[in-house]
Amino acid sequence: MQARSSRTLLLAFASAGAMLACPLVASAQTAPAAPQDDASTVEEVVVTGTRVAGRSRLDTVAPVDVISGETLQRSGTGTELAASLAAAAPSISFPRPAISDGSDHVRPATLRGLAPDQTLVLINGVRGHIAALLNVNGAIGRGSTAFDLNTIPTVTLGSTEVLRDGASAQYGSEAIAGVINLRLREANHGGGLTLNYGVYDTDFDTARGSHSRHDGETTSVAGWVGLPLGSEGFLTVSGELQQRDPTNRSDYAAPAAVNGGSSTTVLARFGDPKLKSGSIWYNAGTPLSAGWEAYSFGGYQHRYSQSAATARPYNDARNVTAIYPNGFTPVIGAEIDDYNLYGGIKGQAAGFDVDLSVGWGRNELTYTVLNSLNASYGAASKTFFQAGGLDYDQLTVGLDAVKPIELGLYEPLNLAVGAEYRRETFGMTPGEAASYNKGPLNAALGSQGFPGFSPSTAIDVDRHNWAVYADLEGKFTEQFTLGGAVRYEDYSDFGDTLTGKLSARYDVNPFFALRGAISTGFKAPALQQQYFSYTSTNLVTTTAGTSLIEAGTFRVNSPTAIALGAKPLEPEMSTNFSGGFVLRKGGFELTVDAYRIDIQDRIVYSENLGGTGSRDGQSAATAAAINAYLTSAFGISAARFFLNGVDTSTSGVDVVGRYRMPTDSWGRFDFTVAANFNSTEITRTPSNPTISIPGGATITTTPGFLFDRANVLAFEEGTPEQKILGSVDWTYGGFGVTAKATYYDSVLIANNASSLDYSTGYATLLDLEGRYQLPWGVAAAVGVNNLTDEYPIFTPAAINGTTGSVGFPQYSPYGFNGRFFYGRLSYSF
């Protein structure tokens, strides 16, 4: 691991050194500099990471990326916000899990290789609410609860700011890796309408053969309109309707799994889910009297998607041949309703610029299971089930006040103080009885693919917390800027915490500046991590083969979890270090920022304790003893729960360079090179508990019992250590062309025996788009993502099992769908 880390840092600084040569080339150009009012060259004013008015993204003390709404809508990714952000920012990764239950429907994104719930998401600078879903299967982000970026369509956004620095002292829990601030479109006139169409046309190889697919057809219509609100106010309304067909990248099933023995039958469905969604958002503001103004924004999305579970062959014990003589693939439906409503007033009082806000958000997820059965009912089983649901809501009340204080420094010291109250609730609703009951037969119980939530899982819990903060920032001299922040929070369920941050910047001259920061951070244990419980069917691979097992997730305060080593959850704590530089001259800019993030007591999801056979950290005898207890008490063979106890150290470098080259004869060229070099090392794993199985013997466990090598390596090598993006954007009159290449490092898919490990392989994806601005506000574009139809290395047949359900590794940082063609037609007024 040390060798890979050293190589990463060397490559990062080598890239930075090569890019430093660009200003010499730039200064030799004879073309005139771009005008300062050009939309692409203006230094965007940011509001994330600083509370000083008027700071541009190149003048901040911490690195902030600004991604325009136009860039997000041009990505050709089927209008998914998370995919668009990952395409534009190398530090963001958006894998596309499949056969992962709820994670297929609420796919998490990551920043700097950390967990999805270690990045805080704001909407117009106000904390957004996380999703009700808890990611509990084998995808990246296992055990996390995160904001669902895809609840907000790209058409709604004016820009997005990505703060790549720890910011818990400024914004609170979750801001360990950084902050994503979604800034809604703001206009009192004009509007636009965009039609998108795309489809995958691809050829690929899996372990058992070759395939061709023309699928994943995606259509959407998105629009916005700006309206006056009174004489000086604004109301911007935007929305989107989207429909997507599923994709399938499963392997052929083994002949033994096919009724009739065919070797060219695809039983499973592995890919993007089928999707229908509708979203509507608004953003409004209007002046009041005495210099005060009122504002409000919010939105609603309804989304229904259908993903597949692992296929059941015709001769599987979980199948009833009278219903499915050729086997079946269960389909999991998720109906998601997401609500957001915010409002407030701001103005001046007692010399402060005051902002009083109230925000409420709610996320509901209801499961259905189609094309399934409950084998314990035999041929009398239903094939469609209502499987229950999850819900989460959040209420926030915030008071922020900012005041410049004149102390005789180069500029006034900016003082910001504030307080916040937050209330959260989480609930689980049981499904219908047939989705979880055991029928009259001695066979697998519950709806296959996704057993329903039983009444014992039902819960409705809440908590609240108070927070106060103070933030100082100012220029002490013309060259030297210093900032500091401190935040105190008190949670009703686990206690209080104090975080701080110190940041500085030194402008050596108008072209070059140094910057750095040190901070502490935290992430509170989510209600979902404390109270979620469930029984699921998991695909497990050991040296003996691949099989399905029933595993239960137990709450940390349950007697079963405590007997197996569970303890009350505590917050994660972090220490962040960062340092870098900003270089700019004419149309050229370059930022290089190195970082190290040390996190203590990370909250993780334990291994399947019990199960079948031995694994790293669990002997066959221990597995058999736990299995016997769980089978007799709950009808399952393995148990899981959440726990603290993993410490990690993440280090890396972000490089972002851009050169704008206008010409008299050939239009304007924008060149961008951006990269993220990132490495994570686990420095501590959970201690080995001594467990007392009810009615059985006391067992002394061995290292890896709670957190084994597969999960260790998933943290260390499950996200790319290198992601490098290069693009050129050319505009000439009404014509425009964008060409982009993105390189992804190989990632490891680890198992509990090294002989079962495999990797995704390295890949470079090429994207190309051409567009033309027609008269009367009409524009058209065509493009292709992944022009050369790149795929990760396919899943080996020995791991894929007889059904061939998992054709490609879920950890692939760019997914596994292949070449995507798209077209876009828009009208603006």
Side-chain angles (χ1 to χ4, degrees), residues 575-596:
T575 305
N576 292 49
F577 307 89
S578 65
F581 65 82
V582 179
L583 176 65
R584 53 186 167 183
K585 183 176 176 61
F588 174 80
E589 64 187 54
L590 171 67
T591 64
V592 177
D593 294 277
Y595 58 88
R596 174 170 170 165

Side-chain angles (χ1 to χ4, degrees), residues 660-752:
R660 305 172 185 87
M661 187 179 72
T663 67
D664 293 328
S665 303
W666 297 97
R668 191 188 69 218
F669 294 86
D670 283 4
F671 299 94
T672 300
V673 176
N676 173 251
F677 304 90
N678 188 80
S679 179
T680 293
E681 180 182 1
I682 287 185
T683 57
R684 181 173 70 96
T685 56
S687 57
N688 311 316
T690 299
I691 62 176
S692 299
I693 299 175
T698 298
I699 299 174
T700 300
T701 58
T702 56
F705 175 72
L706 293 175
F707 195 76
D708 65 16
R709 76 176 296 273
N711 270 319
V712 168
L713 291 172
F715 270 63
E716 294 185 334
E717 301 184 45
T719 56
E721 291 194 349
Q722 301 167 31
K723 179 182 175 185
I724 304 172
L725 181 154
S727 70
V728 57
D729 189 87
W730 171 66
T731 55
Y732 182 78
F735 288 96
V737 174
T738 300
K740 181 172 63 176
T742 308
Y743 167 81
Y744 295 91
D745 190 18
S746 180
V747 301
L748 180 71
I749 297 87
N751 280 281
N752 291 314

Side-chain angles (χ1 to χ4, degrees), residues 35-36 49 53 85 98 148 178 211 246 271 307 318 394 504 520 526 579 644 806:
Q36 289 303 304
L85 288 172
D148 183 2
H211 310 253
S307 66
R318 295 169 177 81
Q394 172 184 279
T520 58
N644 294 100
V806 184

Side-chain angles (χ1 to χ4, degrees), residues 455-495:
S456 64
T457 67
I459 199 165
D460 186 5
V461 292
D462 64 80
R463 71 174 177 195
H464 65 267
N465 82 298
W466 292 91
V468 293
Y469 74 88
D471 188 328
L472 285 168
E473 183 182 331
K475 281 194 170 186
F476 285 67
T477 69
E478 184 177 2
Q479 291 80 29
F480 182 61
T481 303
L482 185 67
V486 63
R487 187 182 187 96
Y488 172 80
E489 298 212 22
D490 188 5
Y491 281 77
S492 60
D493 55 350
F494 70 82

Side-chain angles (χ1 to χ4, degrees), residues 34-210:
Q36 289 303 304
D37 61 350
D38 189 300
S40 69
T41 62
V42 68
E43 293 190 357
E44 301 97 333
V45 172
V46 300
V47 297
T48 311
T50 180
R51 290 184 168 91
V52 178
R55 287 271 194 264
S56 78
R57 62 180 175 83
L58 294 180
D59 289 327
T60 57
V61 293
V64 180
D65 297 321
V66 180
I67 306 168
S68 70
E70 183 181 30
T71 297
L72 295 173
Q73 292 180 69
R74 282 183 181 176
S75 63
T77 53
T79 69
E80 283 188 316
L81 174 57
S84 298
L85 288 172
S91 56
I92 297 177
S93 182
F94 182 57
R96 305 176 79 90
I99 307 187
S100 295
D101 292 353
S103 299
D104 291 9
H105 310 280
V106 185
R107 296 184 289 198
T110 66
L111 179 65
R112 285 182 163 176
L114 298 182
D117 56 4
Q118 290 169 334
T119 299
L120 176 63
V121 177
L122 310 176
I123 306 175
N124 278 0
V126 182
R127 172 183 286 268
H129 66 85
I130 61 176
L133 177 76
L134 179 66
N135 294 286
V136 292
N137 280 311
I140 290 294
R142 182 175 185 261
S144 65
T145 55
F147 184 97
D148 183 2
L149 288 167
N150 289 333
T151 57
I152 301 182
T154 56
V155 70
T156 294
L157 300 175
S159 66
T160 296
E161 297 175 359
V162 182
L163 170 64
R164 294 178 276 112
D165 197 35
S168 291
Q170 297 165 288
Y171 299 106
S173 177
E174 290 120 71
I176 288 178
V179 176
I180 297 175
N181 187 9
L182 307 173
R183 300 183 66 178
L184 303 182
R185 189 187 295 271
E186 181 178 318
N188 63 4
H189 66 280
L193 183 68
T194 302
L195 303 176
N196 289 281
Y197 173 82
V199 66
Y200 290 98
D201 190 272
T202 180
D203 301 289
F204 58 95
D205 293 327
T206 55
R208 297 190 178 106
S210 299

Side-chain angles (χ1 to χ4, degrees), residues 612-623:
T612 57
S614 61
R615 60 166 174 82
D616 174 54
Q618 180 178 264
S619 67
T622 300

